[in-house]
Amino acid sequence: MRRTRRATIYDVAEAAGVSKSLVSLVLRDSPHVSEARRTAVLEAIERLDYRPSQAAAALAGGSSRTVGVVIDDYTNLWFVELLRGLQDGLTSAGLRIAVSDRTLNSHIESDPLDGFLSTRVEALVLATEPTASMRIPPNMPVVVAGNRETEIPGADLAASDDRLGGRLATEHLIGLGHRHIAHVAGGGGASAQRLDGYLGAMRDAGLAPVVVTPSRATTEETGYAGTMTLLEAHPGTTAVFASNDSMAMGALAAARDRGLEVPADLSVIGYDASPLAATHLMQLTTIDSLNREIGAEVATALLSRLTEPGREPVATRLIPQLVERSTTAAPRRRL
């Protein structure tokens, strides 16, 4: 197939009979252009189907109209709704998002922000644990999405109340009659708060907590490994609260491989209310951390920060909700 060359700003200038600089003025909607020349440029743009390069505009000193979002890992399901809510909230302001996976790009860049800063993004969203290698410019608007262990001075925060969510998950299992409830935990600020919620609910009910932390990662594989270890050491466990839906998927697989029926032999509850949890195949009981709403709150904070750079940082925490499906039930008596 023959590839059609993409039109450049020079092609537009030639077609309109003007200079490249004048085309740039029209693209920036400058008032210092006559109507006749503006019309000629706009007609040439439409005729050639010209699409300006955002990166080139930024490097030339213009506005990129882009917000950089740094995430942990594309396989973490909570990002799906977060990014959707963020983009919905930024669209009306003419802003788009660019996403960087910190883990995926770690072998390329020592600082995960380098790629964004080189293209002059308008603002940053950190949906990952901040690290010492992140060199954030002093005047860069920053919003942190989700609870983190490390604070960024001057940054806004939008998150769910993960401590309350951990308590909701555990109290749901207690309310069903479970007394041998284990928690498969991960690492990071959100996981730590969910663990705190679990421990508090178990303590208040007079129950002995059992916690397995296979690693700081919160993946299906770590959920599987942690649950296998748990069931080997504590075969009387009747319910598992996994730190997120990905880990809960691993817990379900571990139950299957141990010959346990869910939820009759083992109830499983996850966290995040990811799209996969709602599928007919999964029907996973989970805690809805309102990730789409968090994305919208991040967008609101960013837009406020862009218009009022000097305002005091704001921390917003939403109230999570229990979503009860088919992977949790009252325990049956074991023979």
Side-chain angles (χ1 to χ4, degrees):
M1 295 180 63
R2 183 177 180 182
R3 185 186 296 269
T4 303
R5 184 177 70 85
R6 180 175 176 177
T8 68
I9 193 171
Y10 296 98
D11 296 326
V12 173
E14 182 179 0
V18 299
S19 68
K20 168 184 168 294
S21 299
L22 192 136
V23 174
S24 296
L25 289 174
V26 172
L27 293 173
R28 294 200 297 268
D29 199 25
S30 170
H32 306 296
V33 181
S34 69
E35 283 306 310
R37 290 190 171 185
R38 185 185 305 276
T39 299
V41 169
L42 293 176
E43 288 178 349
I45 289 173
E46 184 176 0
R47 186 166 63 253
L48 297 174
D49 192 25
Y50 170 67
R51 298 178 183 178
S53 167
Q54 297 299 324
L59 290 171
S63 170
S64 69
R65 308 302 295 165
T66 301
V67 172
V69 185
V70 183
I71 66 175
D72 281 315
D73 186 347
Y74 278 118
T75 63
N76 193 328
L77 301 175
W78 90 284
F79 294 118
V80 176
E81 291 301 306
L82 174 80
L83 294 174
R84 185 173 296 166
L86 176 60
Q87 185 62 80
D88 287 347
L90 295 178
T91 297
S92 61
L95 294 168
R96 61 180 61 79
I97 60 175
V99 182
S100 174
D101 181 328
R102 188 187 67 172
T103 304
L104 186 66
N105 293 329
S106 61
H107 67 291
I108 302 174
E109 299 164 334
S110 58
D111 184 350
L113 306 183
D114 281 349
F116 288 144
L117 299 181
S118 66
T119 54
R120 301 184 185 179
V121 293
E122 305 285 335
L124 290 170
V125 175
L126 299 183
T128 184
E129 189 64 40
T131 65
S133 66
M134 293 181 181
R135 297 183 295 274
I136 302 173
N139 297 321
M140 174 67 68
V142 178
V143 178
V144 177
N147 291 300
R148 306 296 165 193
E149 295 174 323
T150 305
E151 292 186 3
I152 299 294
D156 297 292
L157 169 72
S160 180
D161 188 338
D162 288 303
R163 186 172 286 104
L164 174 60
R167 177 174 284 274
L168 286 176
T170 310
E171 290 179 344
H172 167 66
L173 296 172
I174 294 171
L176 291 173
H178 292 277
R179 294 299 177 264
H180 302 284
I181 304 166
H183 179 47
V184 182
S191 293
Q193 291 193 17
R194 294 169 192 179
L195 171 59
D196 284 348
Y198 161 79
L199 293 174
M202 294 292 282
R203 180 182 61 249
D204 291 349
L207 302 177
V210 175
V211 179
V212 177
T213 308
S215 76
R216 288 183 61 85
T218 53
T219 64
E220 180 182 1
E221 185 57 38
T222 58
Y224 178 87
T227 305
M228 291 295 280
T229 299
L230 164 70
L231 295 175
E232 183 68 31
H234 303 275
T237 301
T238 64
V240 170
F241 163 35
S243 192
N244 67 5
D245 288 348
S246 294
M247 297 186 81
M249 291 166 56
L252 293 172
R256 177 201 62 199
D257 290 353
R258 295 275 302 186
L260 299 177
E261 183 181 344
V262 176
D265 296 318
L266 186 71
S267 285
V268 176
I269 183 170
Y271 205 111
D272 284 334
S274 62
L276 192 59
T279 60
H280 293 294
L281 178 63
M282 190 74 60
Q283 282 298 294
L284 176 68
T285 297
T286 185
I287 298 298
D288 187 353
S289 49
L290 307 178
N291 295 325
R292 188 165 188 168
E293 288 82 354
I294 291 174
E297 290 291 340
V298 170
T300 298
L302 277 175
L303 295 177
S304 297
R305 179 64 59 187
L306 287 169
T307 55
E308 297 181 72
R311 71 174 177 82
E312 289 296 313
V314 175
T316 303
R317 285 186 173 86
L318 305 182
I319 304 301
Q321 301 170 0
L322 172 69
V323 181
E324 188 172 358
R325 298 196 181 102
S326 63
T327 59
T328 55
R332 69 181 178 187
R333 185 186 301 272
R334 293 191 177 182
L335 300 178

